[in-house]
Amino acid sequence: MRYPDGMVNTYTFFAPPQIVFGWGQRSEAGRLAATLGRHAWLLSGSRTLERSGIVDALADSLLAAGVTAKRSSAPAHEPEVADVDDLVNDWRGRGAAMGDCVVAIGGGSTLDLAKAAAALVTNRQGNSVVDYLDGVGRGLTITEPPLPMLAIPTTAGTGTEATKNASISSYAPPFKISLRSDRMVPRMVLVDPELTVSVPRDITAYTGMDAITQLLESLLSKRAAPIPQALCRQGLQLAWPALPRAVQDGGDRPAREAMAHAALLSGMALANSGLGVAHGVAAALGVHCRTPHGLACAVMLPAALRVNRHVRQSELAELSALLLPRTYAAEEDRVAALIDAVESLCREVGIPSRLRDIGVRREQIADLVPSSHGSSLSGNPRDLSDDELRELLESMW
Ligand SMILES: [Zn+2]
């Protein structure tokens, strides 16, 4: 955004080494995977993908390029500790070894599961993924390179194809913590927006709002930096008009392309800049109320902007001018218009505005507050005390 005196501070930036983007580009999967290994562990997520023949076509493309594939299916929920441990044991039991690669096709949950398994197959010091999770495990770290991965997202949302972490959930005890290592960034990302055409309307809305929340939170984060901010601005300019169209008509090709690209950018941005309070609370809502991640982010987004508006006024005012057709003379008015517009966007794509409307019980707020203090919250521009968080959640109930 604004760089006083043209100053650019110290930063580091990383991203997947190779990104292939384009409608129908999944036909390139075999050629790409062949550069990673001769044997692939192929993890696929959605039953729809399997039924539609897309996973078979992917396996054929691998075989045609000389890559043999052993297939596994991911469960239809965000990865839990046992899901990761089971998949790692399965792959190890079937002979997974250095020199193999992982090809994962699915939504954010499937890609997260694949990233965690690809890392743990080669890191054998622990008995469970828990041993590697901050704060709950034995403090083990990923020291060996994971199996190299080709990530093929089928939803436009989490951007996990471009990040270095995998979000792992547990319900007893309740936590949602990332397995994290710079080495976990997928080696190759293949984004084929045509794969998102069959995503149902509600999932399109949730995942798309996740991408928009990630773009906004990364852009405003305490750790915001020039390259991620540039990606965020481009992502928001594309996603802002495209999301309602993608929700309205799943076959709208330009809208699907814009959302797929924006989601990828959101992953690259958050991997470098972190997030904020919407994602902090979304993790807690996932664990305690089983709220889908994107829905939780979307419900929290207007409140997250309001909480930070005074410490990020100039950035929000600039965004307002970038995204909205009408601009206002006063900075404060521009910010107010932007927050109103985010609320309208949520309404337009079917996101409720109150926590009780997504199944949160009032007495659960006491549990949500401590569970919101993950790594996401640490990126929030303003430090929030437990009392402030509780007040915020009470006001949204
Ligand atoms: Zn997210």
Side-chain angles (χ1 to χ4, degrees):
M1 305 252 96
R2 283 181 193 158
Y3 303 105
D5 310 322
M7 245 181 72
V8 178
N9 291 323
T10 309
Y11 68 82
T12 59
F13 178 78
F14 66 90
Q18 189 176 354
I19 294 169
V20 175
F21 182 95
W23 197 265
Q25 286 295 301
R26 62 185 179 281
S27 59
E28 294 296 303
R31 184 181 63 78
L32 295 172
T35 66
L36 299 179
R38 302 295 302 277
H39 185 81
W41 298 89
L42 172 55
L43 183 70
S44 59
S46 109
R47 306 294 163 261
T48 321
L49 281 180
E50 281 170 18
R51 276 198 302 272
S52 66
I54 285 171
V55 184
D56 287 336
L58 180 59
D60 290 346
S61 155
L62 294 174
L63 201 57
V67 180
T68 55
K70 285 190 180 163
R71 283 161 72 155
S72 310
S73 297
H77 53 246
E78 293 174 22
E80 298 170 27
V81 168
D83 300 319
V84 179
D85 292 347
D86 289 350
L87 186 60
V88 171
N89 290 332
D90 177 52
W91 284 358
R92 282 187 189 158
R94 289 198 279 160
M98 285 285 193
D100 295 351
C101 64
V102 171
V103 176
I105 181 166
S109 300
T110 300
L111 300 188
D112 270 359
L113 177 60
K115 282 162 73 180
L120 294 186
V121 157
T122 55
N123 284 269
R124 293 169 169 267
Q125 310 94 306
N127 299 316
S128 163
V129 63
V130 175
D131 294 333
Y132 297 83
L133 297 179
D134 272 351
V136 294
R138 288 160 52 198
L140 296 181
T141 53
I142 303 296
T143 52
E144 298 301 317
L147 296 184
M149 178 167 159
L150 169 62
I152 310 174
T154 57
T155 56
T158 65
T160 190
E161 63 273 12
T163 72
K164 59 182 172 184
N165 65 298
S167 189
I168 310 298
S169 299
S170 160
Y171 298 102
F175 62 74
K176 187 168 184 178
I177 301 177
S178 278
L179 178 68
R180 192 182 298 276
S181 163
D182 287 355
R183 294 165 176 264
M184 284 170 57
V185 182
R187 193 79 65 80
M188 287 183 185
V189 177
L190 174 54
V191 182
D192 179 348
E194 194 177 10
L195 290 170
T196 66
V197 162
S198 58
V199 175
R201 185 184 271 237
D202 56 341
I203 307 294
T204 299
Y206 300 169
T207 50
M209 284 307 301
D210 183 20
I212 287 176
T213 306
Q214 288 169 178
L215 291 164
L216 282 165
E217 292 206 293
S218 285
L219 191 142
L220 303 174
S221 157
K222 254 183 201 162
R223 299 192 286 276
I227 298 176
Q229 285 191 322
L231 302 181
C232 290
R233 285 197 291 272
Q234 188 189 87
L236 285 165
Q237 277 182 293
L238 284 164
W240 187 266
L243 181 60
R245 285 169 29 220
V247 170
Q248 192 63 40
D249 171 12
D252 184 326
R253 175 170 168 172
R256 290 295 196 182
E257 286 169 334
M259 287 311 302
H261 180 65
L264 171 69
L265 297 187
S266 79
M268 292 164 71
L270 81 88
N272 287 280
S273 293
L275 294 162
V277 63
H279 271 79
V281 175
L285 286 167
V287 167
H288 293 288
C289 311
R290 305 227 178 189
T291 314
H293 173 76
L295 172 60
C297 289
V299 171
M300 289 306 301
L301 181 59
L305 295 178
R306 244 179 241 115
V307 155
N308 291 306
R309 64 184 293 174
H310 295 299
V311 290
R312 286 293 184 267
Q313 179 158 298
S314 65
E315 288 87 346
L316 287 166
E318 280 187 49
L319 266 183
S320 179
L322 189 71
L323 299 177
L324 304 185
R326 178 168 173 208
T327 191
Y328 299 83
E331 229 176 33
E332 272 176 38
D333 294 339
R334 291 209 290 277
V335 174
L338 179 69
I339 297 174
D340 285 350
V342 168
E343 282 183 326
S344 305
L345 177 66
C346 286
R347 265 197 306 278
E348 191 178 351
V349 300
I351 306 292
S353 61
R354 306 210 65 86
L355 292 175
R356 59 172 170 263
D357 296 334
I358 55 170
V360 179
R361 297 193 313 277
R362 192 165 200 164
E363 61 271 21
Q364 289 179 306
I365 290 176
D367 292 328
L368 293 175
V369 171
S371 294
S372 298
H373 284 283
S375 61
S376 294
L377 191 61
S378 70
N380 196 61
R382 254 189 68 200
D383 290 326
L384 296 171
S385 68
D386 278 0
D387 286 341
E388 285 173 302
L389 259 181
R390 188 174 307 108
E391 240 169 68
L392 175 73
L393 296 176
E394 290 283 356
S395 74
M396 292 183 61
W397 191 79

